[in-house]
Amino acid sequence: MTSIWSRPTPPRRPVLSREAIVAAAIAVADAEGLDAVSIRRVATELDARAMTLYSYIERKEDLLALMADEIAAEAVAEEPLPADWREALTLLARRELELVRRHPWRVDLISHRVAVGPNGLRHVEQKLSAFDGLGVDRLTAWRFLAVFNDYMTGFVVRQAVERRAPRERGIGEAERAALAEPYIKELIDGGEFPRLAPMIEQGVQGADDNFERGLTWVLDGMEGSLRGGGAGR
């Protein structure tokens, strides 16, 4: 089966095109979430018949891949990256984070394993280019990229879950915390969690503040590996 990007674009009809279909699908996902996206729903948004859309996009998996690649362009920096590799990766990380905040459904696509398109490849290429001045081999650069991606994925998934759960349950964050507090306090007072207890009782800074700090630790680890000569191991 050929990739969706390798197939010729069908002739355009008035108003309808592959680009218009993808844009409509993204609008639906932004407003209502990924589960609301279907060929039939997008056809309704475009005032077209579902069968007509199938002449442009053969299956929903292709639509999801096109949606993911369309928004991936938002993570690609148009301006030249900073010469410093840490600054370059930090800039790209912030762009990725903003992309997911604009399109929270991108997190749901992680488990779909959608095909990578040209914009996604440009983003990967740009991240790899940040390592050009380090003098590391291709394997080390790929390993650094994997660590960077793992951190980004873990952060955006956790943040998405934390923000989504209260909305799905129909209660606010403060209400959720109030409901859980008596049960948690009972467990803490039992003395089984001596390390966790003071953090809960005295409070700790919110997790939303951890992105830049965590990213700094990841980059510190890469830099330490370079200084210690262990990057290629």
Side-chain angles (χ1 to χ4, degrees), residues 54-191:
Y54 281 113
S55 65
Y56 291 83
I57 297 175
E58 294 182 7
R59 52 184 185 156
K60 183 177 178 180
E61 289 79 4
D62 289 341
L63 178 59
L64 296 179
L66 288 167
M67 292 168 63
D69 195 63
E70 181 67 22
I71 64 171
E74 299 176 24
V76 178
E78 297 178 2
E79 67 278 11
L81 292 181
D84 180 82
W85 68 278
R86 292 180 61 121
E87 292 181 14
L89 286 179
T90 298
L91 182 151
L92 294 175
R94 290 170 180 162
R95 292 185 70 99
E96 283 190 36
L97 185 61
E98 288 303 313
L99 182 156
V100 176
R101 287 175 174 169
R102 285 191 296 269
H103 310 288
W105 50 270
R106 181 64 185 89
V107 172
D108 298 323
L109 282 180
I110 293 173
S111 61
H112 282 264
R113 304 286 294 179
V114 296
V116 178
N119 288 324
L121 290 176
R122 289 185 188 100
H123 185 47
V124 172
E125 177 73 15
Q126 200 166 55
K127 287 187 285 190
L128 284 171
S129 73
F131 303 121
D132 285 351
L134 295 181
V136 298
D137 57 34
R138 287 190 296 270
L139 177 58
T140 299
W142 190 255
R143 286 172 174 169
F144 280 174
L145 176 66
V147 170
F148 175 88
N149 287 343
D150 287 347
Y151 173 72
M152 292 300 304
T153 299
F155 185 90
V156 299
V157 168
R158 178 184 59 75
Q159 188 176 74
V161 169
E162 289 177 351
R163 292 182 173 184
R164 183 182 301 167
R167 292 196 300 270
E168 291 178 347
R169 295 170 188 166
I171 61 174
E173 184 65 26
E175 294 173 293
R176 185 192 66 80
L179 288 172
E181 186 175 342
Y183 173 69
I184 293 176
K185 187 175 187 307
E186 181 181 342
L187 291 177
I188 293 297
D189 289 347

Side-chain angles (χ1 to χ4, degrees), residues 1-72:
M1 182 176 295
T2 59
S3 165
I4 179 64
W5 291 278
S6 301
R7 301 174 207 158
T9 301
R12 294 192 176 194
R13 300 182 185 181
V15 183
L16 200 58
S17 65
R18 184 179 289 172
E19 292 79 10
I21 293 169
V22 173
I26 290 173
V28 170
D30 285 347
E32 303 175 35
L34 195 63
D35 289 343
V37 175
S38 67
I39 297 293
R40 185 175 299 277
R41 173 61 190 280
V42 174
T44 300
E45 294 294 318
L46 294 171
D47 195 23
R49 294 185 303 120
M51 290 307 297
T52 303
L53 265 65
Y54 281 113
S55 65
Y56 291 83
I57 297 175
E58 294 182 7
R59 52 184 185 156
K60 183 177 178 180
E61 289 79 4
D62 289 341
L63 178 59
L64 296 179
L66 288 167
M67 292 168 63
D69 195 63
E70 181 67 22
I71 64 171

